[in-house]
Amino acid sequence: MNTIEPSLEAHLAAFRRGAVDLIDEGELTKRLEEARAAGRGLRIKFGMDPSSADLHIGHAVVLRKLRDLQELGHTVILLVGDSTAMVGDPTGRNRLRPQLTRAEVEENMRSYTDQASILLDMERVEVRYNSEWFDAMGFEDVLRLTSRMTVAQMLQRDLFQKRMADAEAIGIHEFLYPLMQGWDSVELRCDVEFGGTDQLFNLLVGRDFQEQEGQPRQIVVTSPLLNGLDGRKMSKSYGNAILLTDSPEDVFGKTMSISDEAMALWFELLTRLDEAEVRELLQGHPREAKARLAEEICALLHGRSAATDARAAFDRRFSKGEIPEDVPERTYGGEWPVPLSVLLREVGLASTGSEARRLIQQGAVKLDGMVERDPKASVERPAEPLLVQVGKRRIARVAAPA
């Protein structure tokens, strides 16, 4: 049994930090007071669908917050959505999402808890799989689950409204996902559920289902979504993600490639530096602020010593103009020749085509060591990977598919 000892305000501050939605704080305060009186922690759920094999730094936003709450005495429930992953979360999708097979899900599941252990104390985590209850359901049970919401309620979701307006297909199976996620909360009898802002609809379904079952409604806490290195949604498929399993050098180098504008949010969500120190860093030289951010993120994933070494290695390579040995590789699968501005955008070295053209005009772009200043320049299909540099911080070897 976990015991809550720090002040009520300390607990509330931990829940509030970086939160977009907290539904609602009055209920949370009451739940915390009851838990403190009973000498126990709250049951806090975070669900992860193994729809891919890797976790990235975007997942670390919530995992880091959960670690803070673990240290305050709360119980973290890491729900591996092996059943919901086969349905596929429609969030952020403008097309019908293909369903994964059981074999694909099981392959992705193998590394999930190992990666989560980078940030969580797994000895104090309750790991659950929602196949525990969904595999036991018969067809009548599924029908009863679907009867808990109407089509009109489901279509209130902005995502589905947009897809209908754009004449995009919506699969009936996609309606099941929020129902399944909501039912997970009933089975786990959780007090709090965490998720990204894109999960708000699903998290609120859990509150409704718990109320229908006579349980106290879970508190909902959402965190902002962390964009990738190029400003788009963070995704391994875009080549713009920092993976939790990346080496210290890759974590440091990739962080140094984010835009100056993104730093404030990254500091808030991924570090525990106090506001005054962050404010001072952001008012100083952007490179120094970004290096400190990169060092803090590297320390989060690999420890302080590895972060110090990664910073020293980065400074040696880039301050002296050296080309690092471990340059990331990117593949451009479109048509060749390709406008250089398009290539920079598509491989994640510029966030937009207009930014790419501006960087080219400024002389910040090199192809195999040669500066290219023509914003209308095109690149032929390379026989060997092309070394592309954008300023001192962004670098990649770009190849065509084999």
Side-chain angles (χ1 to χ4, degrees), residues 17-57:
R17 182 181 176 97
V20 177
D21 302 290
L22 204 172
I23 305 173
D24 68 32
E25 188 167 322
E27 292 180 23
L28 175 61
T29 300
K30 181 180 179 182
R31 198 77 60 91
L32 283 169
E33 289 172 339
E34 291 172 349
R36 287 164 61 81
R40 61 175 176 81
L42 299 182
R43 291 175 57 77
I44 303 173
K45 166 193 170 189
F46 178 53
M48 296 190 301
D49 281 350
S51 52
S52 67
D54 297 293
L55 299 181
H56 53 63
I57 201 74

Side-chain angles (χ1 to χ4, degrees), residues 57 60 64 118-119 242-256 266-267 270-272 290-314:
I57 201 74
R64 177 64 184 272
I118 295 171
L119 293 167
I242 299 174
L243 304 181
L244 298 193
T245 53
D246 277 344
S247 68
E249 293 76 16
D250 280 348
V251 171
F252 195 98
K254 288 180 178 181
T255 304
M256 291 297 291
W266 283 53
F267 268 118
L270 293 169
T271 78
R272 290 300 177 260
K290 204 169 294 181
R292 179 61 185 281
L293 173 64
E295 191 172 355
E296 291 299 317
I297 294 174
C298 195
L300 172 66
L301 300 179
H302 294 285
R304 185 60 61 183
S305 177
T308 301
D309 291 345
R311 178 168 185 170
F314 183 90

